[in-house]
Amino acid sequence: MNNNTNNEVIQLALPINAAYVSAARLTASSIANRLNFDIDEIEDIKAAVSEACAFVIEQSSEIKESFQIIFNLSKETLVIDLISGRPEGFVVQEEQMSLLMIRALMDVLKIDDETDEKLRITMIKNHKLSSFEQ
């Protein structure tokens, strides 16, 4: 991630409820558009956010607290973290369809389930045009 001090951070807290996935998609789309990602990149980001939200909601259905989505914006990169409570006995299964989809849509996918309390999904999309800008 770029350590540029001009980075902006946007945080969103949503209930563990599929009815709010559209709010996450709309926010992601708006942010990606503001960063001048092209339409294909925006669609990839929206789809990845949907899949990540669905994954978190599915895994955390027994947890009654909200989950957070944190968008870290820079000129070259959009980093999206989803953080939720970690269900008891949760184990990441890399072949889950949601995770496979996110891997195909984003440049980087990291899942941190090392702590007993939190599950963190980090998705990174690099701006295609950033390597051509001066």
PDB file of all heavy atoms in Angstrom, residues 10-14 23-24 27 67-71:
ATOM      1  N   ILE A  10     -12.335   5.819   4.419  1.00  0.00           N
ATOM      2  CA  ILE A  10     -13.778   5.873   4.608  1.00  0.00           C
ATOM      3  C   ILE A  10     -14.181   4.586   5.322  1.00  0.00           C
ATOM      4  O   ILE A  10     -13.810   3.495   4.892  1.00  0.00           O
ATOM      5  CB  ILE A  10     -14.513   5.990   3.260  1.00  0.00           C
ATOM      6  CG1 ILE A  10     -14.087   7.283   2.557  1.00  0.00           C
ATOM      7  CG2 ILE A  10     -16.023   5.909   3.453  1.00  0.00           C
ATOM      8  CD1 ILE A  10     -14.525   7.376   1.130  1.00  0.00           C
ATOM      9  N   GLN A  11     -14.936   4.729   6.411  1.00  0.00           N
ATOM     10  CA  GLN A  11     -15.368   3.572   7.188  1.00  0.00           C
ATOM     11  C   GLN A  11     -16.886   3.483   7.165  1.00  0.00           C
ATOM     12  O   GLN A  11     -17.573   4.490   7.283  1.00  0.00           O
ATOM     13  CB  GLN A  11     -14.878   3.668   8.623  1.00  0.00           C
ATOM     14  CG  GLN A  11     -13.370   3.666   8.726  1.00  0.00           C
ATOM     15  CD  GLN A  11     -12.889   3.701  10.163  1.00  0.00           C
ATOM     16  OE1 GLN A  11     -13.551   3.187  11.060  1.00  0.00           O
ATOM     17  NE2 GLN A  11     -11.741   4.291  10.375  1.00  0.00           N
ATOM     18  N   LEU A  12     -17.360   2.262   7.038  1.00  0.00           N
ATOM     19  CA  LEU A  12     -18.789   1.993   6.979  1.00  0.00           C
ATOM     20  C   LEU A  12     -19.070   0.810   7.897  1.00  0.00           C
ATOM     21  O   LEU A  12     -18.363  -0.200   7.817  1.00  0.00           O
ATOM     22  CB  LEU A  12     -19.156   1.668   5.532  1.00  0.00           C
ATOM     23  CG  LEU A  12     -20.587   1.422   5.134  1.00  0.00           C
ATOM     24  CD1 LEU A  12     -21.418   2.680   5.334  1.00  0.00           C
ATOM     25  CD2 LEU A  12     -20.649   1.007   3.666  1.00  0.00           C
ATOM     26  N   ALA A  13     -20.053   0.931   8.766  1.00  0.00           N
ATOM     27  CA  ALA A  13     -20.459  -0.185   9.621  1.00  0.00           C
ATOM     28  C   ALA A  13     -21.855  -0.618   9.197  1.00  0.00           C
ATOM     29  O   ALA A  13     -22.759   0.210   9.072  1.00  0.00           O
ATOM     30  CB  ALA A  13     -20.446   0.224  11.088  1.00  0.00           C
ATOM     31  N   LEU A  14     -22.010  -1.914   8.944  1.00  0.00           N
ATOM     32  CA  LEU A  14     -23.287  -2.451   8.489  1.00  0.00           C
ATOM     33  C   LEU A  14     -23.709  -3.634   9.362  1.00  0.00           C
ATOM     34  O   LEU A  14     -22.856  -4.405   9.810  1.00  0.00           O
ATOM     35  CB  LEU A  14     -23.174  -2.926   7.038  1.00  0.00           C
ATOM     36  CG  LEU A  14     -22.855  -1.864   5.995  1.00  0.00           C
ATOM     37  CD1 LEU A  14     -22.571  -2.515   4.646  1.00  0.00           C
ATOM     38  CD2 LEU A  14     -24.000  -0.876   5.878  1.00  0.00           C
ATOM     39  N   ALA A  23     -25.883  -1.264  -0.051  1.00  0.00           N
ATOM     40  CA  ALA A  23     -25.240  -0.044   0.456  1.00  0.00           C
ATOM     41  C   ALA A  23     -23.723  -0.143   0.323  1.00  0.00           C
ATOM     42  O   ALA A  23     -23.057   0.832  -0.035  1.00  0.00           O
ATOM     43  CB  ALA A  23     -25.628   0.196   1.909  1.00  0.00           C
ATOM     44  N   ALA A  24     -23.177  -1.325   0.586  1.00  0.00           N
ATOM     45  CA  ALA A  24     -21.732  -1.538   0.444  1.00  0.00           C
ATOM     46  C   ALA A  24     -21.320  -1.437  -1.022  1.00  0.00           C
ATOM     47  O   ALA A  24     -20.309  -0.810  -1.349  1.00  0.00           O
ATOM     48  CB  ALA A  24     -21.340  -2.896   1.021  1.00  0.00           C
ATOM     49  N   THR A  27     -21.488   2.254  -2.169  1.00  0.00           N
ATOM     50  CA  THR A  27     -20.347   2.997  -1.616  1.00  0.00           C
ATOM     51  C   THR A  27     -19.071   2.658  -2.380  1.00  0.00           C
ATOM     52  O   THR A  27     -18.312   3.554  -2.764  1.00  0.00           O
ATOM     53  CB  THR A  27     -20.180   2.689  -0.115  1.00  0.00           C
ATOM     54  OG1 THR A  27     -21.399   3.024   0.561  1.00  0.00           O
ATOM     55  CG2 THR A  27     -19.021   3.465   0.479  1.00  0.00           C
ATOM     56  N   PHE A  67     -20.599  -5.450  11.013  1.00  0.00           N
ATOM     57  CA  PHE A  67     -19.254  -5.615  10.466  1.00  0.00           C
ATOM     58  C   PHE A  67     -18.830  -4.299   9.843  1.00  0.00           C
ATOM     59  O   PHE A  67     -19.666  -3.466   9.512  1.00  0.00           O
ATOM     60  CB  PHE A  67     -19.173  -6.792   9.485  1.00  0.00           C
ATOM     61  CG  PHE A  67     -19.897  -6.603   8.181  1.00  0.00           C
ATOM     62  CD1 PHE A  67     -19.212  -6.233   7.033  1.00  0.00           C
ATOM     63  CD2 PHE A  67     -21.268  -6.822   8.084  1.00  0.00           C
ATOM     64  CE1 PHE A  67     -19.876  -6.077   5.826  1.00  0.00           C
ATOM     65  CE2 PHE A  67     -21.935  -6.670   6.884  1.00  0.00           C
ATOM     66  CZ  PHE A  67     -21.243  -6.305   5.754  1.00  0.00           C
ATOM     67  N   GLN A  68     -17.529  -4.116   9.727  1.00  0.00           N
ATOM     68  CA  GLN A  68     -16.984  -2.869   9.195  1.00  0.00           C
ATOM     69  C   GLN A  68     -16.416  -3.087   7.805  1.00  0.00           C
ATOM     70  O   GLN A  68     -15.842  -4.140   7.523  1.00  0.00           O
ATOM     71  CB  GLN A  68     -15.846  -2.363  10.067  1.00  0.00           C
ATOM     72  CG  GLN A  68     -16.263  -1.744  11.350  1.00  0.00           C
ATOM     73  CD  GLN A  68     -15.056  -1.097  12.010  1.00  0.00           C
ATOM     74  OE1 GLN A  68     -14.030  -1.728  12.190  1.00  0.00           O
ATOM     75  NE2 GLN A  68     -15.188   0.170  12.354  1.00  0.00           N
ATOM     76  N   ILE A  69     -16.574  -2.069   6.985  1.00  0.00           N
ATOM     77  CA  ILE A  69     -15.884  -2.012   5.694  1.00  0.00           C
ATOM     78  C   ILE A  69     -15.061  -0.734   5.730  1.00  0.00           C
ATOM     79  O   ILE A  69     -15.594   0.354   5.988  1.00  0.00           O
ATOM     80  CB  ILE A  69     -16.855  -1.981   4.506  1.00  0.00           C
ATOM     81  CG1 ILE A  69     -17.818  -3.163   4.563  1.00  0.00           C
ATOM     82  CG2 ILE A  69     -16.071  -1.980   3.195  1.00  0.00           C
ATOM     83  CD1 ILE A  69     -18.865  -3.144   3.473  1.00  0.00           C
ATOM     84  N   ILE A  70     -13.769  -0.892   5.495  1.00  0.00           N
ATOM     85  CA  ILE A  70     -12.864   0.251   5.513  1.00  0.00           C
ATOM     86  C   ILE A  70     -12.238   0.382   4.124  1.00  0.00           C
ATOM     87  O   ILE A  70     -11.616  -0.555   3.632  1.00  0.00           O
ATOM     88  CB  ILE A  70     -11.766   0.079   6.584  1.00  0.00           C
ATOM     89  CG1 ILE A  70     -12.416  -0.098   7.963  1.00  0.00           C
ATOM     90  CG2 ILE A  70     -10.810   1.269   6.572  1.00  0.00           C
ATOM     91  CD1 ILE A  70     -11.455  -0.540   9.041  1.00  0.00           C
ATOM     92  N   PHE A  71     -12.451   1.527   3.514  1.00  0.00           N
ATOM     93  CA  PHE A  71     -11.897   1.831   2.199  1.00  0.00           C
ATOM     94  C   PHE A  71     -10.708   2.758   2.401  1.00  0.00           C
ATOM     95  O   PHE A  71     -10.868   3.846   2.953  1.00  0.00           O
ATOM     96  CB  PHE A  71     -12.937   2.528   1.315  1.00  0.00           C
ATOM     97  CG  PHE A  71     -14.179   1.726   1.058  1.00  0.00           C
ATOM     98  CD1 PHE A  71     -15.271   1.812   1.907  1.00  0.00           C
ATOM     99  CD2 PHE A  71     -14.263   0.897  -0.047  1.00  0.00           C
ATOM    100  CE1 PHE A  71     -16.431   1.096   1.673  1.00  0.00           C
ATOM    101  CE2 PHE A  71     -15.427   0.167  -0.293  1.00  0.00           C
ATOM    102  CZ  PHE A  71     -16.507   0.268   0.564  1.00  0.00           C
TER     103      PHE A  71
END
